[in-house]
Amino acid sequence: MTGSSTAERLPRLLALVPYLVSRPGVAVAEVAADFGVTEQQVRRDLELLWMCGLPGYGPGDLIDLSFSGDTVTVVYDAGMRKPLRLTGQEATSLQVALRALSETPGIVDTDAVRRALAKIENAAGQAHPAGMVVGLDERPDRVPAEVEETVQRAVRQRAALRIRYYTASRDAITERTVDPLRLVLLEGRRYLEAWCRRAGGMRLFRMDRVDEAEPLDEHACPPAEARTTDLSGGPFRPSPEQPRVELELSPRARWVAEYYPVDELTELPNGHTRVVLRYSDRAWVVRLVLGLGGRGRIVSPEELAGEVRSRAEEALELARHLPST
């Protein structure tokens, strides 16, 4: 049995999540034996499941899977324990997810995804309003194909890597040598978990913030104390000593809440969003808010809001003395 047809694959996908939830850390070979398919097919099914979940909310509602060696654990099941009954909105969300998955380089059998997408579109029929068009050409979290392939190869071959990485909390780009342990998908984003020789500890690197990845001619050699992290509570555990800033964001600045890790998120009646995030560099927060150009403001602390106002006033004063063109 190849398990490649849509008619066979869809029931298997629906059964996989509750099966994995009840068997955390199960070996992929055991999953393949129980479902009567190859290990390669199981991995393709798991890669497809990564982009499935609850519709209409956001990346945090997608299924999260954690891989360690040849084992797999469901970090978040996204409600997939329940029988699948698609509404029009759900069918549309699933189509969007499948289109995004079909454009992800080096992760899935795109032909199989497109066949499943065609099947769902055909079954959905008139379940959703006509004229709805979703564009996926510009995705800020897209990972360059060469970076994706280099990192995947390093994880498989247990090879050390040199990466050029953007750290959002410090608004800085650094070069690091890392010993990769695994790739994980959390809250709709891919991460490399690795021992960072520069930091001397385990770190999660968001793949869309890796500008360059270069394989080194040496094996990965993390120290004995290096351990994969329990990610069931999410990818980030802010340090209590880090200061917090409360921001109010207009709809056009909501990307801040999606791009940076936040402690709290509150939807306001006027369509704005209030978020609380932690930071390690005060100057970074000032630059962030100034860059929003009035589409976001600091609610607290007041002294930080005052610093932003002061910097904005200085910029306006300088602008008045610029020669007109």
Side-chain angles (χ1 to χ4, degrees):
M1 174 178 164
T2 63
S4 59
S5 72
T6 303
E8 294 168 338
R9 195 179 192 192
L10 185 57
R12 185 172 65 250
L13 289 171
L14 297 177
L16 260 176
V17 176
Y19 170 94
L20 294 172
V21 167
S22 65
R23 297 167 177 82
V26 64
V28 173
E30 183 178 341
V31 179
D34 287 347
F35 281 84
V37 295
T38 64
E39 292 183 38
Q40 182 182 26
Q41 182 63 52
V42 170
R43 293 185 185 278
R44 288 176 176 174
D45 289 345
L46 295 174
E47 288 165 351
L48 178 56
L49 283 172
W50 272 352
M51 294 300 292
C52 297
L54 299 175
Y57 303 112
D61 296 298
L62 297 175
I63 291 171
D64 284 345
L65 302 173
S66 173
F67 291 92
S68 180
D70 291 326
T71 67
V72 59
T73 299
V74 174
V75 178
Y76 178 61
D77 63 33
M80 288 287 284
R81 303 179 191 214
K82 302 176 182 179
L84 179 63
R85 293 182 176 87
L86 294 179
T87 64
Q89 182 185 11
E90 290 169 340
T92 300
S93 298
L94 185 54
Q95 290 171 39
V96 171
L98 287 172
R99 288 194 187 103
L101 189 61
S102 69
E103 295 178 2
T104 301
I107 191 171
V108 292
D109 181 344
T110 54
D111 288 339
V113 174
R114 287 170 183 146
R115 288 195 299 271
L117 176 60
K119 186 80 171 181
I120 291 169
E121 288 176 337
N122 182 60
Q126 300 299 318
H128 56 81
M132 182 179 293
V133 178
V134 180
L136 295 171
D137 292 333
E138 297 182 3
R139 292 191 291 154
D141 60 347
R142 183 184 294 277
V143 181
E146 60 273 15
V147 170
E148 179 92 37
E149 293 168 3
T150 299
V151 173
Q152 287 186 352
R153 190 181 311 114
V155 171
R156 288 195 307 267
Q157 298 177 354
R158 298 290 189 263
L161 277 174
R162 181 180 292 113
I163 62 173
R164 190 168 182 267
Y165 187 72
Y166 170 66
T167 303
S169 61
R170 296 197 301 273
D171 191 27
I173 295 176
T174 57
E175 289 193 359
R176 303 163 183 251
T177 299
V178 300
D179 299 293
L181 272 77
R182 62 174 177 167
L183 282 166
V184 295
L185 185 79
L186 293 168
E187 299 178 359
R189 293 189 174 95
R190 283 165 288 169
Y191 295 83
L192 168 66
E193 187 170 20
W195 177 268
C196 177
R197 299 183 188 178
R198 182 171 185 246
M202 292 294 296
R203 293 292 186 270
L204 277 177
F205 299 100
R206 262 181 57 170
M207 288 286 288
D208 60 311
R209 293 180 182 169
V210 178
D211 290 341
E212 298 175 5
E214 176 189 353
L216 300 179
D217 190 18
E218 59 179 281
H219 292 296
C221 54
E225 65 267 25
R227 294 287 186 277
T228 55
T229 310
D230 177 8
L231 300 172
S232 57
F236 297 103
R237 290 172 175 78
S239 174
E241 63 267 15
Q242 285 184 318
R244 297 168 20 132
V245 60
E246 185 175 5
L247 303 175
E248 183 174 331
L249 307 170
S250 74
R252 291 181 62 189
R254 186 186 172 87
W255 63 265
V256 172
E258 300 168 352
Y259 193 74
Y260 299 105
V262 299
D263 282 3
E264 301 172 17
L265 187 150
T266 305
E267 303 288 356
L268 302 178
N270 60 358
H272 287 211
T273 306
R274 184 164 292 179
V275 300
V276 175
L277 58 84
R278 295 182 185 269
Y279 63 94
S280 57
D281 186 344
R282 187 183 183 93
W284 171 81
V285 179
V286 173
R287 289 195 301 270
L288 172 67
V289 177
L290 287 173
L292 294 176
R295 293 186 290 272
R297 69 180 184 91
I298 294 178
V299 178
S300 67
E302 176 55 36
E303 61 270 22
L304 192 54
E307 186 173 341
V308 170
R309 284 194 296 270
S310 177
R311 290 282 300 277
E313 290 168 358
E314 290 175 7
L316 288 172
E317 184 64 26
L318 288 172
R320 291 191 187 98
H321 294 89
L322 292 175
S324 58
T325 56

